[in-house]
């Protein structure tokens, strides 16, 4: 949200109306010009522009390790409460889970059956920020908190998945000047965020083929 001030300063003549929910927008009936969707990019005859990929990485509050020895190996994470963000599975039932991550990290027999389960990514992130446990969460959604030091990654092993974030709108809306300017600003913000985040190692070569989904 703080980034919106940069758009408003640059384009004071364009008013934005934002709605954040999991409902799929009906452009013809809901009165919205565009949407940012998390999926595979297959949106029929819509104008579609891919914004960025994402990956799953362990995230937790630094307070979780206060008064304790921080984990020295991926297997040590099994000593902590595991938080499960199942919002990705709502799009792809075969999306990576904690079991996938431990397998990629070389940990066999890890018990991932315990912990709190969330069906909304923001709720899972908030629980992790509050110190409730270690979350296997979306790296890009957590980037601002990582930059601020509110989140830490105990291990920088990223499990990829085939879902990505897309800008979507009807073709006639995509040709309008206001849409072009908004999309240009959006892509600049994405590029700046990606440039400012340290690249992390992905693990395609360490995962079984069934665990990998190409974007």
């Amino acid at each position: 949200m703080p980034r919106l001030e940069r758009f408003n300063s640059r384009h004071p003549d364009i008013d934005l109306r934002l709605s954040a929910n999991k409902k799929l927008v009906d452009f013809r009936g809901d009165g919205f010009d565009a949407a940012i969707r998390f999926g595979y990019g297959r949106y029929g005859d819509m104008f579609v522009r891919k914004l960025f990929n994402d990956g799953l990485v362990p995230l937790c509050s630094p307070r979780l390790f206060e008064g304790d020895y921080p984990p020295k190996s991926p297997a040590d994470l099994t000593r902590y409460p595991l938080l499960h963000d199942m919002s990705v599975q709502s799009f792809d039932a075969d999306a990576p889970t904690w079991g996938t991550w431990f397998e990629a990290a070389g940990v066999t027999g890890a018990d991932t059956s315990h912990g709190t389960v969330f069906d909304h990514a923001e709720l899972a992130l908030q629980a992790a920020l509050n110190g409730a446990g270690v979350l296997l969460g979306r790296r890009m959604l957590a980037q601002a908190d990582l930059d601020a030091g509110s989140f830490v990654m105990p291990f920088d092993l990223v499990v990829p998945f085939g879902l990505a974030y897309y800008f979507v709108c009807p073709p006639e809306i995509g040709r309008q000047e206001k849409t072009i300017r908004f999309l240009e600003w959006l892509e600049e913000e994405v590029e700046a965020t990606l440039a400012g985040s340290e690249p992390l190692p992905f693990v395609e070569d360490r995962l079984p083929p069934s665990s990998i989904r190409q974007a």
Side-chain angles (χ1 to χ4, degrees):
M1 295 301 291
R3 300 171 186 269
L4 288 177
E5 179 57 32
R6 291 197 282 268
F7 178 82
N8 293 332
S9 298
R10 185 186 302 182
H11 303 293
D13 58 317
I14 300 178
D15 294 324
L16 299 177
R17 180 164 66 96
L18 305 179
S19 176
N21 58 61
K22 299 175 69 174
K23 177 186 175 184
L24 192 64
V25 171
D26 176 5
F27 294 113
R28 311 300 180 186
D30 292 343
F32 287 95
D33 291 328
I36 296 176
R37 290 180 175 172
F38 180 61
Y40 289 107
R42 299 188 289 267
Y43 302 113
D45 59 352
M46 294 289 107
F47 170 86
V48 179
R49 183 73 62 85
K50 186 176 182 179
L51 297 175
F52 56 88
N53 292 314
D54 208 343
L56 301 176
V57 65
L59 300 163
C60 64
S61 166
R63 294 178 298 165
L64 191 66
F65 302 139
E66 290 178 0
D68 196 0
Y69 294 104
K72 296 181 179 179
S73 70
D76 292 342
L77 292 184
T78 59
R79 304 198 312 260
Y80 296 88
L82 299 180
L83 306 180
H84 306 265
D85 174 12
M86 301 304 292
S87 62
V88 178
Q89 277 71 24
S90 67
F91 292 89
D92 181 358
D94 296 324
T97 62
W98 265 118
T100 313
W101 187 88
F102 279 116
E103 182 180 355
V107 180
T108 59
D111 180 9
T112 62
S113 63
H114 62 91
T116 307
V117 178
F118 301 86
D119 65 358
H120 201 286
E122 282 71 19
L123 293 177
L125 288 167
Q126 189 59 54
L129 282 172
N130 292 339
V134 184
L135 170 68
L136 186 66
R138 304 183 209 172
R139 161 71 185 273
M140 292 302 296
L141 286 185
Q143 189 59 53
D145 289 306
L146 284 167
D147 293 340
S150 302
F151 267 142
V152 295
M153 291 184 295
F155 301 99
D156 59 0
L157 198 64
V158 183
V159 175
F161 52 85
L163 301 166
Y165 293 85
Y166 296 87
F167 178 89
V168 184
C169 68
E172 64 273 16
I173 298 295
R175 291 190 290 268
Q176 295 181 4
E177 178 64 24
K178 64 179 181 179
T179 308
I180 294 172
R181 285 191 281 167
F182 179 77
L183 182 54
E184 287 176 347
W185 166 81
L186 193 60
E187 290 179 325
E188 288 176 9
E189 293 293 334
V190 169
E191 183 178 358
T193 299
L194 294 176
S197 62
E198 182 180 354
L200 298 180
F202 280 76
V203 291
E204 287 92 337
D205 58 332
R206 299 173 61 179
L207 292 173
S210 61
S211 299
I212 302 174
R213 296 290 182 274
Q214 296 298 323

